[in-house]
Amino acid sequence: MVAVVAALYFAQDFFLPLALAVLISFLLAPLIRRLERWRLGRVPSVIVAVSLAFSVIGGVGYVVAGQIIDLANALPHYEANLHAKIVSLKTSGDSPLNRATKTLRDLSAELTKTDAPTAAPAAPIETPADRPVPVEVVYTPLSAVETIRAVVAPVAGPLGTAAIVIVFVIFMLLEREDLRDRFIHLVGRGRLHVTTQALDDAGARVSRYLVAQCVVNVTYGIPIGLGLWFIGIPNAVLWGMLATLLRFVPYIGAWIAAAFPLALSLAVSTTWTAPLLTLALFVVVELISNNVIEPWLYGSSTGLSSMAIIVSAVFWSWLWGGVGLLLATPLTVCIAVVGKYLPDFVFLDVLLGDKPPIAVSDRFFQRLLALDAEELSNLCDGYRAKSTLARTYDEVVIPALRLVDAEVRAGNVSEATRRELMGVLRDVLEDLGEAAPPGGESAGVLCLPASNESDELCAFMLTQLLAMEGVKAEFVTSKALAGEMVEKGAELRPKLICISSLPPASVRSAHHLCGRLSERLGADTRIFVGLWNDALPDHTRHAERCKRAHAAAVFTTLEGAVREFLLQAGVQPATTA
């Protein structure tokens, strides 16, 4: 990585035109494909697209240059207004600002003052050698060749780079399939499918980003230019084009563009109306662009996190200056795609991508170990906002419970700690929905834990979900013995019983309890078993054992269990769970 960064830095004269050409090729590729579908042909399509693109760039450059020259000629006329503004901002001699400045100056003088006066040094005796020697600067007139070189050199570099970029763009667009195949053959030996996917994904993301960004920036710059013209700011066309260009810079580009017309409004206006209107114009247009136009046009993001965009902007601007700042997001998109498809570079996708680095269930487990009840509630609320409470339990809470059980079996979590974790989780679950109803004389559904507190919490969640759907249900705590649960079932005689088990620890207990309940209650009560882990290797075998113990069905998710119980009870599903 250090060698790559060093090569990009020291060989930027080569890589910059190449990167710009690739960027423009991505931008023009959709237009060329559209022209080819109109049966225009590859070569004419490329010529039309490239001519159009560089004509637009050249026209914009010509207009901007003219506006800059006009602005430079007009600036001396605004000196009087600037002087008046400065005078109006001056404060009186006894103002708080001046008093604070004087206090700081006095403190600084006190700190730098020496403790005791020292004797003045004797005046040195001046000798003839110490006397200053007069120096005369003689300017040698430049030759004709040197004059031409001084004038042409600053212009020849950018023009040469532009010519190289144009050549690169033309040949990349003409040979884009051949270049793609060569790259796949070079990089994708043995991984042709993955390499093809990566190239297609990178091309689609970058093209979509560039096209959408161009549309957003143009729709941003035009209102800015028109608004500045109505306000009366000179050279409004220049500031609209500058706003369009600088908005390619993430987050701060628009406000950099706003600084120039805002400063000019202070110079040309004799009042504060024009500066305030200019600031309000940029704020309103930026809010509309960010909250209305961008979400509508982008459709899907570039796949980068906000922090990755900021860091990439800083990195590429350090590496390649202003051009690197414009290229930052597209280049970082390509790097993130590499991390997505190549296992050796997966850390790039984790660092740069916009997907969560760990699953929500893992975050829930981590915060549960920290006993952070507030964060646990926030995670569940955030997940529930995009889903249902039943799926939140199935996809967030129950996987975290399985991780807790795994840590207990590995000896990393003691039983005392486990009980503390279960208590915190119980409080969080009670806050998420309606509390499970207490036991009564009869219930539509009786939920029984197979063995431990994890099974009890799963039974609690099922009871809670059923209660939210209007089904009367209750559960028994894990402190009750298997015989006591059987007697509880015989006493209540519910129509439906669900044995809750969080595999693999309590599967055997679930088989045993199902068999005993079936013998005692007979066919009048239908018994179901919830094995809340469909990824268990022996799930099919355990489900068959439960069915041989006369279980009517085996569930793997709370959502499926609720749906079946509502069907059995003849209750129409509500939207609460």
Side-chain angles (χ1 to χ4, degrees):
M1 292 180 66
V2 172
V4 169
V5 172
L8 292 173
Y9 181 78
F10 290 107
Q12 59 180 288
D13 291 338
F14 168 74
F15 285 112
L16 261 179
L18 187 62
L20 281 171
V22 172
L23 187 67
I24 297 174
S25 299
F26 275 126
L27 183 60
L28 297 180
L31 175 60
I32 292 175
R33 284 195 292 267
R34 179 65 60 85
L35 293 174
E36 288 177 347
R37 283 198 293 267
W38 293 345
R39 302 183 183 277
L40 193 58
R42 169 60 58 86
V43 176
S45 299
V46 171
I47 293 175
V48 169
V50 172
S51 301
L52 179 62
F54 285 100
S55 296
V56 171
I57 294 174
V60 170
Y62 177 78
V63 172
V64 169
Q67 292 280 306
I68 291 176
I69 293 173
D70 181 62
L71 178 63
N73 293 329
L75 278 179
H77 302 294
Y78 307 138
E79 184 178 356
N81 283 339
L82 283 174
H83 180 72
K85 289 282 194 314
I86 294 172
V87 171
S88 67
L89 288 174
K90 284 185 176 180
T91 57
S92 63
D94 196 32
S95 66
L97 180 61
N98 285 340
R99 289 199 301 270
T101 303
K102 182 178 180 301
T103 301
L104 291 176
R105 189 166 54 247
D106 293 343
L107 288 174
S108 177
E110 186 69 25
L111 289 173
T112 56
K113 187 172 63 176
T114 57
D115 294 335
T118 57
I125 301 174
E126 185 176 355
T127 63
D130 297 329
R131 294 173 184 171
V133 178
V135 177
E136 182 180 357
V137 180
V138 179
Y139 293 96
T140 305
L142 297 175
S143 64
V145 175
E146 291 173 337
T147 302
I148 294 174
R149 184 184 302 166
V151 173
V152 173
V155 182
L159 289 178
T161 302
I164 294 173
V165 170
I166 294 173
V167 173
F168 272 150
V169 168
I170 293 174
F171 280 95
M172 284 180 180
L173 292 174
L174 287 174
E175 305 292 336
R176 65 179 187 270
E177 284 83 6
D178 181 68
L179 291 174
R180 180 198 62 198
D181 295 341
R182 290 177 184 274
F183 183 80
I184 290 175
H185 180 71
L186 180 66
V187 178
R189 292 180 179 271
R191 296 181 293 186
L192 293 179
H193 178 66
V194 173
T195 308
T196 303
Q197 278 187 322
L199 282 177
D200 292 343
D201 191 7
R205 284 199 206 181
V206 174
S207 295
R208 182 174 62 243
Y209 165 76
L210 290 175
V211 172
Q213 190 69 42
C214 284
V215 174
V216 169
N217 291 1
V218 169
T219 57
Y220 177 84
I222 290 175
I224 290 294
L226 291 174
L228 293 175
W229 180 75
F230 278 111
I231 294 172
I233 306 301
N235 306 102
V237 175
L238 172 63
W239 308 125
M241 290 182 175
L242 187 66
T244 300
L245 181 63
L246 285 178
R247 210 174 181 281
F248 278 100
V249 179
Y251 300 110
I252 63 172
W255 304 112
I256 295 175
F260 297 100
L262 188 60
L264 187 59
S265 67
L266 292 171
V268 302
S269 174
T270 57
T271 65
W272 293 96
T273 303
L276 293 176
L277 289 176
T278 302
L279 180 61
L281 172 67
F282 275 91
V283 170
V284 171
V285 175
E286 180 69 14
L287 288 174
I288 294 174
S289 182
N290 280 339
N291 298 293
V292 178
I293 298 178
E294 284 188 0
W296 174 58
L297 278 178
Y298 281 159
S300 58
S301 68
T302 58
L304 300 179
S305 66
S306 300
M307 181 59 69
I309 292 176
I310 296 173
V311 173
S312 69
V314 174
F315 172 77
W316 289 107
S317 61
W318 165 77
L319 196 65
W320 286 348
V323 179
L325 192 60
L326 296 177
L327 297 173
T329 300
L331 291 176
T332 310
V333 166
C334 297
I335 295 174
V337 169
V338 171
K340 179 179 178 181
Y341 288 97
L342 297 181
D344 295 338
F345 297 95
V346 68
F347 69 95
L348 294 174
D349 188 40
V350 174
L351 291 175
L352 303 175
D354 58 353
K355 295 181 180 178
I358 60 175
V360 179
S361 58
D362 292 338
R363 291 179 60 197
F364 191 88
F365 168 67
Q366 189 269 334
R367 298 322 300 161
L368 179 60
L369 292 179
L371 302 176
D372 190 348
E374 183 177 358
E375 182 67 16
L376 292 174
S377 297
N378 292 337
L379 285 172
C380 289
D381 290 338
Y383 200 88
R384 186 182 180 184
K386 299 178 292 185
S387 185
T388 62
L389 183 59
R391 289 186 181 178
T392 302
Y393 286 163
D394 283 328
E395 298 171 8
V396 178
V397 180
I398 289 181
L401 277 174
R402 290 200 293 263
L403 291 174
V404 172
D405 282 356
E407 292 296 318
V408 171
R409 291 194 301 273
N412 299 326
V413 174
S414 65
E415 283 296 333
T417 302
R418 175 181 179 164
R419 286 192 293 272
E420 189 175 9
L421 297 177
M422 295 300 103
V424 171
L425 185 54
R426 178 69 173 268
D427 294 338
V428 172
L429 295 178
E430 288 180 350
D431 292 337
L432 284 176
E434 299 176 6
E441 296 181 358
S442 63
V445 180
L446 178 63
C447 299
L448 303 174
S451 176
N452 54 39
E453 292 178 327
S454 297
D455 301 332
E456 178 186 335
L457 280 180
C458 292
F460 172 82
M461 287 184 278
L462 178 59
T463 307
Q464 188 185 59
L465 292 171
L466 290 172
M468 295 174 68
E469 296 287 356
V471 176
K472 189 175 182 180
E474 66 174 89
F475 73 99
V476 177
T477 67
S478 58
K479 296 179 181 179
L481 301 176
E484 294 174 338
M485 294 183 189
V486 173
E487 293 302 322
K488 183 73 172 180
E491 175 187 351
L492 297 179
R493 291 286 174 177
K495 295 180 180 179
L496 304 171
I497 291 179
C498 183
I499 300 173
S500 175
S501 171
L502 190 66
S506 58
V507 174
R508 187 180 298 275
S509 299
H511 302 161
H512 176 69
L513 182 58
C514 183
R516 292 186 61 178
L517 284 169
S518 177
E519 291 178 0
R520 179 67 183 273
L521 301 179
D524 294 337
T525 301
R526 302 194 68 190
I527 302 172
F528 299 86
V529 176
L531 301 179
W532 316 118
N533 189 355
D534 56 353
L536 191 68
D538 297 333
H539 172 74
T540 303
R541 182 169 59 87
H542 290 307
E544 291 298 326
R545 287 190 61 185
C546 291
K547 290 179 180 178
R548 287 197 297 270
H550 304 290
V554 176
F555 304 116
T556 58
T557 64
L558 293 174
E559 186 179 35
V562 171
R563 190 183 305 114
E564 177 63 25
F565 288 145
L566 292 179
L567 182 64
Q568 294 285 337
V571 177
Q572 186 69 23
T575 59
T576 53

